[in-house]
Structure formats: structure tokens, C-alpha cells
């Protein structure tokens, strides 16, 4: 069963992630929404760092994909949610992929596990041969 996605507000934005330039643009878009949401500078940095890792994973491991981002509201709180979707090969072992230090490539093995630690909410849905979706949310304090 797929985890529920955050319900983005009507001003959600969608952008492709098909190049290194798109990864940079994704970071900029995340920072803009984090500022609009009035996240603290520390929380802005955490969210942008997590989004950068996830955008890079979408490009490198997923072969490209899409970012959907917007403000979210729940229980009187406002936050920013970013959803990264790709149609890549999927992740065969989620527990292993979320283990610090494990890497399927040449990186440090901190992408998914690091992103998860930097945000308030993290969901990962994947299917071998069917792509991966990662959703993250950071709430204003």
C-alpha cells in the first residue's frame, strides 16, 4: 500500500528534473517556498539540503523525473512539501538504501538517510521496475 502524499495547496509548482541545471533550479525553488513559509534559516537550509539530495537521486538513479512542491497546512501549521517522482528501476532493498553509509554508487551513502534526518516527515514508495517516489515535509516552528 502506498503511503499517503501530502496535500499541496493550489499554488503547487511542478518542474522536471532531467539535468544538473534542473537540480540547481529545484534547490532554488525549494528555498523560495521555504522563505515564503517563513521557515527559520536553519530549517530552510535543512530542507534545501534534503531536496538537493533527492533531486540528485531522481536524476542519477531514477534517470530523471518530476518535482512537485507547495505549501501544506495541517492542524494550524504551515509547511513546505516536496514530492520527487521518477520512473527508474526502483529500490530493491529499502532498509538497506536507508542505512547510513550504504551506497549503490560512488557517493557517501547519506542521500536518503540524510534527507530523512533533515525533514519532519519523510515517505518513500518504490517498486522494482516501477520507479520511486519520495515525499518530504518541513514545518514552520
Amino acid at each position: 500500500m502506498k503511503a499517503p502524499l501530502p496535500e499541496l495547496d493550489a499554488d503547487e509548482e511542478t518542474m522536471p528534473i532531467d539535468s544538473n541545471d534542473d537540480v540547481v533550479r529545484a534547490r532554488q525553488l525549494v528555498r523560495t517556498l521555504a522563505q515564503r513559509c517563513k521557515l527559520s534559516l536553519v530549517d530552510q537550509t535543512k530542507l534545501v539540503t534534503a531536496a538537493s539530495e533527492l533531486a540528485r537521486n531522481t536524476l542519477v538513479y531514477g534517470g530523471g523525473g518530476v518535482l512537485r512542491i507547495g505549501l501544506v497546512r495541517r492542524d494550524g501549521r504551515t509547511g513546505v512539501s516536496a514530492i520527487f517522482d521518477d520512473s527508474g528501476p526502483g529500490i530493491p532493498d529499502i532498509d538497506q538504501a536507508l542505512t547510513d553509509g550504504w551506497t549503490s554508487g560512488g557517493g557517501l551513502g547519506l542521500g536518503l538517510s540524510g534527507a530523512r534526518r533533515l525533514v519532519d516527515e519523510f515517505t518513500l514508495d518504490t517498486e522494482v521496475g516501477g520507479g520511486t517516489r519520495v515525499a518530504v515535509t518541513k514545518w514552520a516552528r
Side-chain angles (χ1 to χ4, degrees):
M1 180 169 93
K2 294 221 179 233
L5 291 176
E7 291 187 33
L8 304 177
D9 71 8
D11 293 332
E12 94 173 50
E13 297 191 42
T14 301
M15 67 166 287
I17 300 175
D18 293 320
S19 70
N20 287 325
D21 288 343
D22 291 336
V23 173
V24 172
R25 280 191 283 279
R27 286 177 57 96
Q28 292 167 339
L29 181 57
V30 169
R31 181 166 306 282
T32 297
L33 269 98
Q35 290 169 339
R36 186 180 308 159
C37 183
K38 301 195 184 329
L39 292 180
S40 70
L41 184 56
V42 169
D43 284 345
Q44 288 177 38
T45 302
K46 287 179 179 181
L47 181 60
V48 170
T49 301
S52 181
E53 291 294 327
L54 297 172
R56 172 91 30 223
N57 283 358
T58 299
L59 178 62
V60 172
Y61 300 110
V66 174
L67 163 62
R68 290 179 37 229
I69 185 168
L71 299 181
V72 289
R73 291 171 180 78
R74 186 183 326 138
D75 301 328
R77 299 184 302 169
T78 303
V80 178
S81 287
I83 303 164
F84 297 84
D85 263 313
D86 70 57
S87 299
I91 301 171
D93 187 335
I94 293 173
D95 289 335
Q96 186 178 44
L98 288 170
T99 300
D100 285 347
W102 185 85
T103 179
S104 64
L108 297 175
L110 297 174
L112 287 175
S113 62
R116 182 172 62 174
R117 277 194 309 277
L118 292 169
V119 297
D120 298 320
E121 295 177 12
F122 178 97
T123 59
L124 184 148
D125 287 312
T126 188
E127 180 181 332
V128 174
T132 300
R133 172 184 287 153
V134 180
V136 295
T137 301
K138 192 74 176 165
W139 295 102
R141 311 233 179 271

